[in-house]
Amino acid sequence: MNIPLSESPNRNPGRQGNIPDHIVLHTTGASFGSALNTIKNPANQVSYHFVISAAGEIVQLVKIKDTAWSNGTTNAAGDKRNNQLSTVPAIRERKKNANLYTISIGFGDMPAGNPSPQQLTAVVNLIKYIQAEVEQAYNYQIPLNRDRIIGHCEVSPLTRAFCPGKNFPFDEIIRLLNAASNPREVELEINGNIQKIGGFIENGATWVRLTDIVKAMGGTAVWDNRRRIPVIKFA
């Protein structure tokens, strides 16, 4: 992937010897542009490694080998970000700042935790990219499961209970990641013609992208971000 780097000043060099082995998903709570401006401002003391727009554009703000400031935890008694309050076993057991071993992805323009189709495609590709980069840099492969792909609400349930959103499709992302690891061509008959479309078969069900089916039928499918629905048109 060719991801532009627009480095934030809000970061720490390196990871103090830790391997980044968890990916944390966030809602930025703002537009894509506003989120980038916030992360680039040193006065805000916050950053994500990556941010994804509703159109699927990805910008990198912090290098994977460096520590971003979005998942901070502590061992301080009475602090709402205390490690022991996390629902993630590794965070409770390690008893160290979770920023040191997490990679953060923020979603801009994502109301109520509902990513657009473009964001879903982008985050699946991005997570695969992150997995490959971590494996190359640290000789460690991040498992693509719900133990390692988590939400900020699981890191800090008292301070970020609704991040990335109550409707966020974690299971769908995991399913798409596993499908991306085992792609297949699916044959469909459309108007009497056999066509092959990229997809996969899982538990006896055939899965293909809506946009690919519509395209094969001679139409177009685009995402209406305001109404949060796909718009399909045929000439």
Side-chain angles (χ1 to χ4, degrees):
M1 294 181 72
N2 184 19
I3 302 175
L5 175 65
S6 182
E7 205 157 27
S8 169
N10 304 327
R11 67 186 192 280
N12 293 115
R15 289 183 173 273
Q16 298 183 21
N18 294 277
I19 295 175
D21 58 4
H22 285 69
I23 297 173
V24 184
L25 306 180
H26 301 252
T27 176
T28 67
S31 70
F32 179 65
S34 177
L36 296 182
N37 290 335
T38 296
I39 295 167
K40 295 295 290 292
N41 187 339
N44 293 319
Q45 301 282 291
V46 65
S47 62
Y48 307 99
H49 288 90
F50 302 90
V51 176
I52 305 175
S53 76
E57 179 184 355
I58 304 172
V59 173
Q60 184 169 8
L61 285 304
V62 178
K63 295 176 181 177
I64 289 175
K65 289 185 177 182
D66 291 336
T67 302
W69 299 348
S70 53
N71 303 311
T73 58
T74 177
N75 292 318
D79 194 311
K80 292 183 178 181
R81 298 172 303 148
N82 190 290
N83 287 301
Q84 298 309 306
L85 298 173
S86 172
T87 62
V88 180
I91 294 177
R92 297 195 302 272
E93 293 164 4
R94 292 177 185 181
K95 300 179 181 179
K96 62 175 68 175
N97 188 340
N99 279 331
L100 294 172
Y101 53 88
T102 56
I103 298 170
S104 292
I105 301 173
F107 290 77
D109 298 304
M110 188 181 68
N114 292 302
S116 69
Q118 293 92 330
Q119 283 177 317
L120 276 179
T121 298
V123 76
V124 168
N125 292 333
L126 177 56
I127 290 173
K128 293 291 290 182
Y129 167 80
I130 290 170
Q131 184 190 50
E133 291 293 300
V134 168
E135 186 170 13
Q136 182 177 11
Y138 298 93
N139 194 31
Y140 174 82
Q141 187 176 77
I142 301 175
L144 301 182
N145 57 43
R146 277 291 281 125
D147 290 333
R148 299 305 178 93
I149 299 173
I150 60 179
H152 198 188
C153 57
E154 296 167 90
V155 177
S156 296
L158 294 189
T159 62
R160 293 292 184 270
F162 302 104
C163 180
K166 64 179 182 179
N167 298 322
F168 193 81
F170 285 104
D171 291 340
E172 175 69 1
I173 289 172
I174 299 300
R175 186 183 65 78
L176 290 170
L177 283 166
N178 290 325
S181 300
N182 186 27
R184 298 185 182 183
E185 281 192 330
V186 177
E187 286 191 345
L188 300 176
E189 181 177 323
I190 299 176
N191 293 328
N193 299 314
I194 299 297
Q195 299 194 38
K196 292 183 178 180
I197 299 177
F200 65 98
I201 299 174
E202 179 184 71
N203 296 328
T206 301
W207 298 86
V208 294
R209 285 165 51 104
L210 173 65
T211 51
D212 292 337
I213 293 179
V214 172
K215 183 179 179 180
M217 297 175 68
T220 60
V222 297
W223 179 252
D224 186 324
N225 190 52
R226 181 180 64 82
R227 293 183 294 162
R228 314 299 292 179
I229 59 172
V231 178
I232 299 170
K233 294 182 179 179
F234 293 96

